[in-house]
Amino acid sequence: MEDHGRPIVILLADDDEEDRMLAADAMRESRVANDLRFVEDGEELLDYLYKRGQYAAADAAPTPGLILLDLNMPRKDGREALREIKADPDLRRIPVVVLTTSKAEEDIYRTYDLGANSFITKPVSFDGLVAVMRDIGRYWIEIVELPPDRLA
C-alpha cells in the first residue's frame, strides 16, 4: 500500500487511547503496512497539519495521505477540524474518512456537507475493526489515485 513507491502516512485523530491502540492493532492484523500516526483532538490535528508546536521540526509531521477522523473529541471536535481542513487550499485534497461511533443521520449529512470523503461507523468488535481497516487500506491506498504529496 504505497503512494509512488513509499507507504503513505495515515493520521488518526481520536481522543480515546483504547480506540487508537485498537486501530493500530487492527491495521497490523489487516496487514496495512503504512506509517500510522496519532493525534488526540482537533487542535492537535491542526497543529500536526500546520507543523506547529511539537510538530514544528522538519520530520515530526509528514503530510498524511489519509486522515481518519473521530467526530467527538475535546478542545476542537472533528466537525470543526474538518471544516478548517477542507477550507484550506493546501489541505483540502487530503482525503478525510470520518470513523466514529455516531450513527446519527445529522452527523452523516453534516460531515459530507463539510467535505468528508467517507463516513464509517466504528464496528463494535475487533474483528469488525480489522475488516474496516483492511478495506480502508485497500480502497484508499491501493485503488484510489491520490494527489501527489506536494506538501512534504
Side-chain angles (χ1 to χ4, degrees):
M1 303 200 182
E2 299 180 357
D3 177 31
H4 304 288
R6 68 189 193 293
I8 69 164
V9 171
I10 298 172
L11 182 59
L12 174 64
D14 194 319
D15 64 311
D16 187 302
E17 184 176 0
E18 187 174 329
D19 284 354
R20 291 193 305 270
M21 293 307 100
L22 283 172
D25 290 346
M27 280 249 178
R28 278 190 295 277
E29 183 80 18
S30 67
R31 296 183 173 44
V32 175
N34 288 76
D35 183 0
L36 180 62
R37 307 271 176 131
F38 301 100
V39 292
E40 297 184 16
D41 58 50
E43 283 292 334
E44 190 180 353
L45 171 60
L46 292 168
D47 285 348
Y48 181 104
L49 293 172
Y50 288 116
K51 302 178 186 324
R52 301 184 296 221
Q54 69 186 30
Y55 300 106
D59 61 347
T63 302
L66 178 66
I67 297 170
L68 302 178
L69 181 65
D70 186 27
L71 291 182
N72 302 311
M73 298 182 291
R75 296 190 338 150
K76 180 175 293 214
D77 74 11
R79 296 161 199 84
E80 295 169 299
L82 179 60
R83 179 182 295 110
E84 288 187 44
I85 291 166
K86 293 304 182 179
D88 185 312
D90 291 328
L91 301 176
R92 72 170 51 130
R93 288 190 185 107
I94 300 171
V96 178
V97 174
V98 172
L99 185 61
T100 187
T101 55
S102 174
K103 292 181 181 176
E105 197 172 282
E106 176 186 338
D107 280 335
I108 296 169
Y109 282 121
R110 187 165 174 215
T111 56
Y112 278 116
D113 286 346
L114 291 171
N117 298 88
S118 294
F119 186 102
I120 300 172
T121 301
K122 286 181 190 173
V124 293
S125 73
F126 180 71
D127 288 343
L129 187 59
V130 169
V132 164
M133 289 301 182
R134 182 184 55 242
D135 292 345
I136 287 172
R138 179 151 164 61
Y139 181 76
W140 285 105
I141 301 161
E142 292 178 19
I143 297 173
V144 169
E145 192 69 39
L146 295 173
D149 178 8
R150 43 184 221 325
L151 298 175

